[in-house]
Amino acid sequence: MKRHLLSAADLDRDEALLILDTAGEMRSLADRPIKKSPALRGRTVVNLFFEDSTRTRISFEAAGKRLSADVINFSAKGSSLSKGESLKDTALTLEAMGADAVVIRHSASGAPHRLANSGWVRSSVVNAGDGTHEHPTQALLDAFTMRRHLGDLDGRRIAIVGDVLHSRVARSNALLLATLGAEVTLVAPPTLLPVGVETWPVTTSYDLDATLPKSDAVMMLRVQRERMNAAFFPSAREYSRRYGLDARRMGLLDAHAIVMHPGPMIRGMEISADVADSERSVIVEQVTNGVAVRMAVLYLLLSGSGEAPETSENNTTAGTEALA
Amino acid sequence: MVPTHTAADRGAERVVLDAEDIGRALTRISHEILERNKGADGLVLLGIPTRGVPLARRVGSRIQSVEGVSVPVGSLDVTMYRDDLRLRPARGLEHTEIPDSGVDDKTVVLIDDVLYSGRTIRSALDALSDLGRPRNVCLAVLVDRGHRELPIRADFVGKNLPTAHAQKVQVLLEEYDGRDAVLIVDSGPGESAPGSGSMEEDVTEVTR
C-alpha cells in the first residue's frame, strides 16, 4: 500500500488480501473484554466530511478510537467551510494541527487526490467517498463480507445492480473485485451506466432476472436522486419493477447467494423490505465489518515508520511486508 | 512457507538441536509445567506466532498423553503491542485465538521459540492483560539465547544457548520448514549485526 488510499485500483492483490486478513484479526477485537488496541496511540486521525454521512463517518471514528488514535471529526456544517473556506486553507489548518491521517469525503470527484498530491499536507489521505468517483473502503468491506460467506473470491460471480452511473461504490467494487479475481456483472438501465463502462473490468446487462440465477452475491445500489439532474428512468415504480430486488427475484438466487447493500437503502425502491430483512441479507453485517476493515486500513497506513520495508537486516520478505 | 534467505546466504551455520533434542526438550517442559501446576487443572497454553504456536500445540498434546485431559491451546499475536511498532514498516497481524474458556483466573503458559531481548514477552504480557486477568502467567521457551534487555526470565527452558549478538538463532519446525532443528548462524561477511533492540523472534521468523 502506498502512503494514501485514494482508489481501489491503488491496491494490488497482495495488498488487498493483507488488508482483508488484517481486518479479520481486527474483527475479533470486538469480541474481547477490552475492544481496544494501543497500536495508534499518539496518532491523530481527522475525519474531514464535506458531505453528509452516517455510517462511514461513525465507522471511521470507531475504527480510529479502537486503535487508540485521537480522532477529530470535522464536518462542513458548523465549521468555517460553510463560510467559504477553501479546501487548501482547511488542509493547511489540519497540517498545522499535526494530523497523521485525513479521512476525507467530498462531493467533488478527485478532492482526496488533490489533497494527497498537492503538497498541502504530509499526512496520509484516505478517500471516504469522492463524488461519483470512488469509495475504496466500502469496496474493501464488501469484499471482506463476501469472503466471510463465500470464501476465496477467485471466479465468484458478483452482480452489482442499479444506479451505477452515480455510484462510487460500484466503481471501487468493480476494480477491487477484478483484482481479487471475481467476475463482476453490472446490471442497470442503459441510462444509468457510465460512459466508458466498456473499459471497466466487468460485463454489463440490462436484464436482472437473467443475471440473478448465476450470481454468488448481488449488491443493490441506491438510486441517488440527489445527484440526478435529468430523467434517467420514466418513474420510480417502473425502475423498481425492472431493477428492484423483491422476494420473487430473490427466489431466483442460488441457495448460498447473499444480498448486499452499501446503505442507505430506500426500502420499496431498489430493495423490498422483506428482502432487506431476510436471512440472505448481510446488510447489517456489512456495517460491522466496515469498522474492522477501516481499522485494518488505518493500522496499515499509520502504525509503521512509513518507510519502505526492510529487506536485508531481517529475514522478513519484502513482498509480504510491502505496506505503507 | 519457504525461507527466502537460506542460512547459506549468510555464513556458517551449526545445528545445536536436532529433531530428537527438540522432542526431548518439549517432553521435559511439558512435565515441568505439570509438576509446577500440580496437574493440568486451569492450564491455558498460548503460543506466540509464528513458531510459538506449533510448539504450544506440541506441548498440549504431550500434556494430554500424560494426564489424559486436553488443555486449551491458543495463540496470542503481539504485533500491535510491540515497542518498535512505529520504528519499522507497518506489519500485518498474526492470528490470535483465545480458547473459549478464556484466561480469567487461569494459569497461562506463554510459549515462544527463542527468548532474546525479552521485548516480545513484554508485548505479550500487555496483550494478555487486555484479554483478561490470569491467576498467574509463566513462560516456556525452546531456546534462551541470553542478551536480555528487560527484567524478564523464562520459567521453562528447552536449552540455554550462549550466543554472541552477531549470531542468529534459527528455529526450524516441521509445520513451517519441513524439519525440526535449531541452528546458530554466524553473520556472513559485510552484514551488520542486528542492532540492540532488534528481536531475535523476528530474526528467526522467516516468512509469514
Side-chain angles (χ1 to χ4, degrees), chain A residues 65-102:
Chain A
K65 285 180 171 170
R66 287 204 181 149
L67 292 170
S68 305
D70 295 314
V71 179
I72 299 173
N73 289 315
F74 199 85
S75 63
K77 287 190 188 107
S79 72
S80 298
L81 296 168
S82 55
K83 299 175 191 162
E85 191 179 59
S86 70
L87 179 61
K88 178 176 179 177
D89 289 322
T90 306
L92 294 176
T93 306
L94 300 179
E95 178 65 17
M97 286 193 291
D100 295 293
V102 178

Side-chain angles (χ1 to χ4, degrees), chain B residues 79-150:
Chain B
T79 308
M80 289 197 287
Y81 294 85
R82 300 193 105 117
D83 59 4
D84 64 345
L85 192 62
R86 61 189 49 190
L87 302 178
R88 311 217 339 225
R91 278 160 282 188
L93 304 180
E94 303 290 339
H95 188 50
T96 294
E97 185 165 348
I98 302 304
D100 293 338
S101 52
V103 297
D104 286 336
D105 270 330
K106 307 283 186 198
T107 295
V108 172
V109 184
L110 297 172
I111 301 182
D112 203 1
D113 53 355
V114 180
L115 179 58
Y116 183 26
S117 65
R119 288 172 190 267
T120 296
I121 303 307
R122 187 215 55 85
S123 315
L125 292 171
D126 280 0
L128 194 55
S129 70
D130 278 357
L131 289 167
R133 184 179 185 277
R135 189 157 48 83
N136 50 42
V137 182
C138 35
L139 173 64
V141 296
L142 184 59
V143 173
D144 181 348
R145 63 164 294 187
H147 304 290
R148 213 76 73 239
E149 293 166 5
L150 293 171

